[in-house]
Amino acid sequence: MKIEQIYTGCLAQGAYYIESEGEVAIIDPLREVQQYIDKAKTNNATIKYIFETHFHADFVSGHLTLAEKTGAPIVYGPTAQPTFKAHIAKDGEEFKIGKLTLVTLHTPGHTMESTTYLLRDENGKDHAIFSGDTLFLGDVGRPDLAQKAAHLTQEELAATLYNSLRTKIMPLADDVIVYPAHGAGSACGKNLSKETVGTLGEQKRTNYALRADMTVEEFVKEVTDGLLPPPIYFPENVRLNKEGYQNIETIIENNKAFSPAEFKQTADEALILDVRDADSFGKAHIPGSIFIGIDGGFAPWVGALITDIKQPLILVTPEGREEETITRLSRVGYDNTLGYLKGGIQSWINAGLETDTIQRITATELEMLINNGEKSVIDVRKPGEYNSAHIENVPNIPLDYINDHVQDFPSQETTYLHCAGGYRSMIAASILKARGFHNMIDVIGGFGKIKETNLPIVTQECASSCSTK
């Protein structure tokens, strides 16, 4: 028996490769599927089944492309209604992979078609569950994403999830391994662990949603409390996963390597997305471009901030990372990339074309400015981060909602932006710059470096009148 979790940090997503006796099952594959095909080929194995735990909202799955390339059937759980050919499994239906058996456990609640796959070993012993978004480590799937499709409220979906967990998951033995679809960083839950593999026994002891004495009313309240609005690209990803999508290889082939002159001309009809690092962007970028660095939480931030998933995009990337950028955008359904600047930003500079800058200062310089009376500082971290600890008297405008709160930023007064480490604050500065705010200055290293200064920090344990270094 071979089980491999193929984890993609940018999406906080786990796909699974299961092999026995030359037969393979893939669970929740990413859109670029060649890796699974190559792995099976290397092991002289054949992909027999493609299992989907549900219609994913946070990424475009590779099920259709993988089925086309291998001939393996796509399997969904009960009630799923894709528009393409798929095997809709019955609750309790069994699938053989070599000496192993995968059993369909219908676990609605996150979505109504959500399904957990129980893996039994060659002796028929329950070995592991592939729980999709039904059960995470430390959390369960949010119940507010499928309300419209299910014609149910989030409270009704949460109650359904309560029943699924207690009738299908919790009765299983404590030593059953839990392989979830996501870990910390995913927007599909609110309290996900950084760990990506655990045991059911651990979850019964530590997961707030699996308390044995928990009533359905308590579950509904706790699971629905504090849910942030889902990213705007989620519904389109669900549609693509349910109805079909273009082969990612075709999308890559259709992207053009633009000369600086061609790039400038195309910019009239497209958004310039610069994916280099924050420091490089600050020193020189094409006017009007926005920054979302490829080496941060790239795809989710694209999904959160570029509100039109069909927006034409042209790219400025580090040299050699053009295809990677196109691929990672397509993972979340941003398929309308037109091309990239050949030779990167240096070719633009060599062509004598205009560049812009965003000033950056250190945390020590910010400390001096605040001590001298500077008050125009804004924290763009998430509310939870801000509430935990922040600079005294500094307001919070989270990057997540910047498109709805542009008017809340000063348009003339020099303003200093910071996040946790300098990634999100540069994104914010770039968006504001593209909209005509030329007064934003980024703080290098963000709150991580600010904590090393003597600026007064308000902490959650402290009352608002109390502050600490």
Side-chain angles (χ1 to χ4, degrees):
M1 175 171 58
K2 178 182 177 67
I3 301 174
E4 184 174 348
Q5 181 186 69
I6 303 170
Y7 199 78
T8 304
C10 182
L11 295 174
Q13 188 268 345
Y16 295 94
Y17 177 100
I18 306 165
E19 181 187 324
S20 174
E21 301 290 301
E23 294 183 339
V24 173
I26 304 292
I27 299 179
D28 293 338
L30 280 185
R31 194 169 180 181
E32 61 276 23
V33 302
Q34 194 59 44
Q35 57 184 320
Y36 314 114
I37 297 170
D38 291 345
K39 190 177 295 293
K41 184 177 180 181
T42 298
N43 295 342
N44 294 315
T46 301
I47 296 176
K48 186 177 182 180
Y49 293 111
I50 303 158
F51 292 95
E52 289 286 311
T53 55
H54 63 296
F55 294 122
H56 304 282
D58 59 311
F59 71 99
V60 180
S61 180
H63 53 302
L64 284 168
T65 306
L66 189 57
E68 179 184 327
K69 287 179 174 288
T70 65
I74 301 167
V75 179
Y76 279 95
T79 77
Q81 295 180 318
T83 61
F84 46 83
K85 182 180 178 181
H87 179 88
I88 308 304
K90 297 175 182 177
D91 191 22
E93 186 170 348
E94 298 184 356
F95 299 85
K96 289 289 186 181
I97 301 98
K99 293 183 177 180
L100 308 177
T101 304
L102 276 170
V103 184
T104 303
L105 303 181
H106 188 209
T107 50
H110 172 65
T111 68
M112 290 308 291
E113 79 283 352
S114 284
T115 296
T116 296
Y117 296 102
L118 170 63
L119 179 67
R120 290 182 175 144
D121 66 20
E122 58 187 55
N123 298 315
K125 183 181 183 298
D126 294 347
H127 178 76
I129 54 171
F130 300 87
S131 54
D133 288 19
T134 294
L135 174 64
F136 300 125
L137 302 188
D139 204 356
V140 292
R142 57 191 295 171
D144 62 325
L145 301 182
Q147 299 171 73
K148 186 175 180 181
H151 305 291
L152 297 171
T153 65
Q154 67 176 19
E155 288 76 18
E156 289 170 325
L157 281 163
T160 302
L161 180 58
Y162 173 90
N163 184 64
S164 293
L165 290 165
R166 278 151 180 79
T167 60
K168 299 293 183 66
I169 304 295
M170 291 177 69
L172 298 172
D174 286 0
D175 63 353
V176 168
I177 299 169
V178 179
Y179 291 109
H182 296 291
S186 170
C188 294
K190 60 181 180 179
N191 192 44
L192 283 71
S193 169
K194 292 180 181 179
E195 301 300 321
T196 62
V197 179
T199 66
L200 188 54
E202 291 169 352
Q203 291 309 297
K204 290 175 184 178
R205 290 190 297 273
T206 62
N207 191 320
Y208 76 97
L210 300 189
R211 294 200 311 270
D213 60 349
M214 195 178 212
T215 66
V216 64
E217 292 79 14
E218 289 170 334
F219 179 91
V220 170
K221 184 178 185 301
E222 292 192 38
V223 168
T224 58
D225 183 52
L227 286 174
L228 296 174
I232 54 172
Y233 70 97
F234 272 24
E236 178 63 10
N237 277 205
V238 171
R239 187 191 69 78
L240 290 169
N241 283 319
K242 190 173 184 179
E243 299 179 8
Y245 48 81
Q246 192 175 16
N247 190 313
I248 195 170
E249 294 168 1
T250 303
I251 293 169
I252 293 170
E253 289 171 2
N254 289 341
N255 271 262
K256 181 178 180 181
F258 290 115
S259 68
E262 292 170 329
F263 193 89
K264 183 178 181 182
Q265 184 177 8
T266 307
D268 292 335
E269 60 187 68
L271 174 68
I272 304 172
L273 177 61
D274 192 319
V275 307
R276 296 173 297 144
D277 63 90
D279 189 55
S280 297
F281 182 87
K283 288 177 179 176
H285 61 266
I286 298 171
S289 59
I290 68 167
F291 162 78
I292 304 179
I294 192 73
D295 290 324
F298 176 63
W301 279 118
V302 168
L305 299 172
I306 300 179
T307 56
D308 181 2
I309 198 169
K310 297 180 181 178
Q311 166 73 52
L313 300 173
I314 52 176
L315 310 172
V316 179
T317 76
E319 284 199 72
R321 302 186 72 178
E322 298 85 1
E323 183 174 317
E324 176 192 353
T325 304
I326 297 164
T327 298
R328 289 173 66 175
L329 286 166
S330 290
R331 284 178 184 165
V332 289
Y334 285 76
D335 292 349
N336 200 13
T337 48
L338 307 180
Y340 54 88
L341 179 60
K342 186 177 182 180
I345 192 67
Q346 193 58 49
S347 69
W348 182 271
I349 294 170
N350 293 344
L353 296 169
E354 180 185 2
T355 61
D356 208 340
T357 61
I358 290 177
Q359 186 180 345
R360 309 186 83 196
I361 64 166
T362 65
T364 302
E365 290 171 315
L366 179 68
E367 178 184 19
M368 293 173 59
L369 288 164
I370 291 176
N371 288 339
N372 288 328
E374 178 59 63
K375 295 182 179 179
S376 190
V377 182
I378 296 175
D379 185 331
V380 300
R381 295 176 299 157
K382 292 180 182 293
E385 296 172 277
Y386 176 83
N387 292 334
S388 178
H390 61 269
I391 305 173
E392 189 174 34
N393 297 322
V394 167
N396 178 222
I397 307 178
L399 173 63
D400 309 58
Y401 314 118
I402 192 170
N403 289 312
D404 297 325
H405 293 277
V406 170
Q407 71 280 359
D408 295 336
F409 289 85
S411 59
Q412 301 296 328
E413 181 181 5
T414 298
T415 300
Y416 301 87
L417 304 179
H418 84 80
C419 60
Y423 178 79
R424 287 173 285 175
S425 53
M426 183 58 85
I427 295 175
S430 75
I431 290 172
L432 293 167
K433 184 94 169 180
R435 296 188 183 187
F437 290 69
H438 301 291
N439 54 315
M440 299 295 156
I441 296 177
D442 180 47
V443 180
I444 300 168
F447 196 67
K449 290 296 183 182
I450 289 167
K451 289 189 294 184
E452 297 175 6
T453 71
N454 290 308
L455 285 170
I457 303 296
V458 177
T459 66
Q460 198 166 40
E461 293 77 16
C462 223
S464 59
S465 59
C466 160
S467 64
T468 181
K469 176 178 176 291

